[in-house]
Amino acid sequence: MAVQINKSYLLGDFELEPDNLHLWRNGERVHLTNKPFQVLVYLIEHRERLVSHSELLEKFWNGRNVYEENLTKCVGAVRKALDDRGDDPHFILTHWAEGYRFICPVEEKSINGNGFEIERTRGVRIIVDEDDVEIQTASLPDKSRRSLRKTRLILASVAIAVIFATAAGAWYLLRPKAVITQTFHSIAVLPLKNLTGDAANEYLSDGMTESLIASLSKIEDLRVISRGSAFAYKDQEIDFAEVGGRLGIESVLVGSVQKEGEALRVSVRLVNTVDGHVIWTKEINKPANQIFALQDEIARNVAVKLEPQVPDKIQRQVVQHNTENTEAYRLYLKGRFFWNQQTEEGLNKSIEYFNRAITEDPNYVLAYCGVSDAYNSMGSYYSAPNAVMPKAREFATKELALDDESADAHFSMASVLYWYDWDWPRAEREMKRAIELAPNHGLAHNLYGDYLMSIGRDEEGIAEVKRAIELDPLAHFSSCDLGWQFYHARQYEKAIAQARQNFDTVQNCPFDYLYVGQSLEQTGNYQAAATELDKIQLFAKDWSLGLAEKGYTYAAAGQRTKAEQTLVKLAGLQKSQYVDPYGFAIVHLGLGNKDKTLAWLKKAVEAKSPFLLFLKNEPKFDTFREDPRFQDLVRRMRL
């Protein structure tokens, strides 16, 4: 007689019967209401992958507008039934803000209506009960008693063989084994999600991400993607295979930060980008004043999971701090958060927070680095270099005195020596020292590339900036700088192509439009150049260098009146903001006013204009280079 066949799942101590809506634990019925039961079955049946929140809401709430709290409570009921802890899960792994994955090993079996287990062998249904063996199949004819006895003998032999095979398999699984490990050579720490419910805490999740990047970068043979590329994925849905292919990395660390009163809860996952396998996962709960211990635990575990044979020395290095003062660290994180905005207001706020961190801990090296870097950025974009760069030097000197082994300290000093002091030999030594201490320091490689271009070693400069891009493939700063490198190397088509490629990722950077406009100028396409330069005003209104470049284009195209109007506008801007004298110089250069060009260039030298660093390679001055007065300026800059 045909028998109804049902499926059953074995989950450790539990057995789940989907068709009967039964969940058993060691033979005792476990109560679970209908919807949590169905969610559990769905997670089991899709255990090979992460099941997203949206998928579960669509499946079990028909896509209606329901709060995710409903789903959270539903999964909570499943956890309670399975006696599963969220902080140490054995059944359901929570991917914060993403979804859930069933992680417990599952064994499937089939049972008949009488509760007897069924196996299938080559299309023959074999039902084993306490007294006999029955063969049922619609495709086989009736057997004689002799044939049935023969079949029973065969089945008995098979059963004995199965017993021996099972025993052998158990021995194989339980025998002592050599540990098989996999070493990973690259990682990206993607921005931790801020799930605190307060946007003001963004500095915390961003800062912890940067700290983890810095810690893991201390592992010599591990390639760690720098901040620029990692933060390109901020607030995005993550496809691990896509991230791995785009960044050329084998693993990613993702997670989230929650804050409840004075407690922090950080959930992280380390994922293999090749197959999506979760290498390691952890949820850590600690008081906010134990943030260092929290970060140390993550960094140490990730280091060991990536490189199982990582020496104890390296494990100690990844948990070294520049301060033990949690308040100083919190203020530093806020400073870096505002520094990364690179706006005038953001830089001023960053200086305030960095200085407060130094007040809390006068020996906090990274806080000194922050102040120096902030003044450096101010001198490059918003303030007169003579007003802020000496302060940048002062803090860089202090940080080096505190820690001569800090790559960031050497980078800060190299920036001052290069952009302001024009002390080329010492600047190069500091750049090389920063790279020696931190081979993955993308900004140090980028700065070294700019230095090489300044002194006329174009191809070496381009190679160094390309190295920075390899370390940080999505960091717009280096990609943008490569366009400028191509421009100064007179590779105009490459400069234009690079800038247009950058538009695909960042469309509001004035420098990209500047390089396109400059390159089009040099090819004689003045109208197209003016169109590109006009776009600068959309993102950087009244940026003096953008206006000056437009004035040069007018002059080169023979539109003298418009060029002269640009000079008037630049003079007017001086009443409300700092205007680099170099801008006046290039407009007069386009108008053919040699004496005025030289006069403004001398003022630019006195003002320590950062744009003069490329004077030796700037194509605009090719027809001016034989003038002894111009040559004298180049000598004064030690170029």
Side-chain angles (χ1 to χ4, degrees), residues 475-636:
H476 180 259
F477 182 84
S478 296
S479 296
C480 179
D481 212 33
L482 183 59
W484 209 9
Q485 293 268 344
F486 284 137
Y487 166 72
H488 284 98
R490 292 158 177 75
Q491 300 179 32
Y492 304 123
E493 294 303 320
K494 287 186 177 181
I496 293 170
Q498 181 64 39
R500 295 201 185 286
Q501 178 181 318
N502 294 342
F503 293 158
D504 294 337
T505 54
V506 177
Q507 298 182 357
N508 61 352
C509 176
F511 283 101
D512 284 322
Y513 294 101
L514 176 67
Y515 306 153
V516 173
Q518 288 176 321
S519 298
L520 289 169
E521 287 169 357
Q522 294 305 313
T523 61
N525 195 343
Y526 300 118
Q527 183 174 351
T531 299
E532 295 297 330
L533 293 170
D534 276 339
K535 296 175 183 176
I536 292 176
Q537 296 300 307
L538 299 174
F539 316 113
K541 185 173 176 59
D542 293 337
W543 182 37
S544 62
L545 186 64
L547 291 170
E549 196 67 46
K550 185 73 177 293
Y552 174 85
T553 302
Y554 285 141
Q559 301 179 48
R560 294 187 63 87
T561 300
K562 288 186 175 182
E564 289 167 351
Q565 289 173 347
T566 302
L567 288 171
V568 173
K569 185 167 186 177
L570 288 173
L573 285 176
Q574 285 183 308
K575 299 174 183 178
S576 58
Q577 67 183 56
Y578 174 70
V579 177
D580 194 313
Y582 180 80
F584 290 95
I586 61 173
V587 178
H588 282 295
L589 175 67
L591 288 168
N593 300 330
K594 267 195 171 185
D595 291 341
K596 290 184 178 180
T597 299
L598 286 165
W600 279 105
L601 283 178
K602 287 180 180 178
K603 291 181 180 180
V605 170
E606 294 167 1
K608 291 295 185 78
S609 167
F611 298 103
L612 287 178
L613 271 65
F614 313 106
L615 195 64
K616 187 173 182 177
N617 280 9
E618 171 57 63
K620 292 183 181 66
F621 291 101
D622 283 352
T623 59
F624 213 55
R625 299 193 186 283
E626 299 305 317
D627 190 303
R629 295 171 295 176
F630 181 82
Q631 293 174 357
D632 181 59
L633 281 174
V634 174
R635 279 193 295 271
R636 285 176 60 186

Side-chain angles (χ1 to χ4, degrees), residues 102-118:
F102 196 87
I103 58 174
C104 178
V106 177
E107 181 183 345
E108 296 185 27
K109 73 173 185 178
S110 298
I111 54 178
N112 68 9
N114 298 319
F116 299 129
E117 186 172 342
I118 297 172

Side-chain angles (χ1 to χ4, degrees), residues 293-427:
L294 189 153
Q295 291 180 166
D296 291 350
E297 185 173 343
I298 295 173
R300 188 186 297 107
N301 275 281
V302 171
V304 172
K305 295 297 179 182
L306 292 176
E307 296 197 36
Q309 306 304 320
V310 65
D312 290 341
K313 177 183 176 183
I314 299 299
Q315 291 188 48
R316 290 193 298 271
Q317 286 178 350
V318 300
V319 299
Q320 287 178 349
H321 313 131
N322 289 103
T323 183
E324 298 298 330
N325 185 315
T326 55
E327 178 61 14
Y329 180 63
R330 187 185 68 83
L331 292 166
Y332 170 77
L333 293 185
K334 282 197 170 185
R336 273 298 169 193
F337 176 77
F338 286 111
W339 184 88
N340 284 321
Q341 296 174 6
Q342 287 294 294
T343 62
E344 186 172 9
E345 180 184 7
L347 290 171
N348 280 321
K349 283 186 176 180
S350 76
I351 292 170
E352 175 191 344
Y353 280 112
F354 289 140
N355 275 316
R356 286 172 60 185
I358 291 171
T359 300
E360 288 286 335
D361 182 356
N363 295 318
Y364 194 179
V365 174
L366 289 182
Y368 288 95
C369 290
V371 179
S372 180
D373 293 346
Y375 279 127
N376 203 322
S377 294
M378 291 289 286
S380 296
Y381 306 119
Y382 306 108
S383 302
N386 287 330
V388 294
M389 291 303 286
K391 296 178 182 178
R393 187 199 302 116
E394 174 190 347
F395 281 87
T397 302
K398 288 180 179 178
E399 63 193 84
L400 272 177
L402 287 169
D403 186 0
D404 189 51
E405 296 297 311
S406 167
D408 290 318
H410 286 280
F411 172 76
S412 297
M413 180 57 77
S415 298
V416 175
L417 293 168
Y418 172 65
W419 292 109
Y420 185 70
D421 289 345
W422 300 343
D423 187 343
W424 313 116
R426 191 178 167 205

Side-chain angles (χ1 to χ4, degrees), residues 122-191:
R122 296 191 179 185
V124 180
R125 181 177 301 161
I126 306 164
I127 302 178
V128 184
D129 64 19
E130 296 174 353
D131 302 317
D132 205 352
V133 177
E134 179 184 357
I135 300 174
Q136 291 183 343
T137 175
S139 61
L140 293 178
D142 292 337
K143 300 292 183 180
S144 65
R145 191 177 299 274
R146 181 181 300 174
S147 177
L148 182 56
R149 283 198 300 268
K150 182 178 179 181
T151 301
R152 287 176 174 174
L153 289 172
I154 293 172
L155 288 172
S157 300
V158 170
I160 293 171
V162 168
I163 291 171
F164 277 106
T166 302
W171 172 85
Y172 178 80
L173 291 172
L174 298 175
R175 81 196 195 286
K177 310 178 191 67
V179 177
I180 300 173
T181 59
Q182 179 179 0
T183 299
F184 293 83
H185 302 287
S186 55
I187 186 174
V189 182
L190 301 188

Side-chain angles (χ1 to χ4, degrees), residues 284-298:
I284 305 172
N285 297 278
K286 288 187 183 296
N289 61 6
Q290 294 183 25
I291 188 171
F292 295 130
L294 189 153
Q295 291 180 166
D296 291 350
E297 185 173 343
I298 295 173

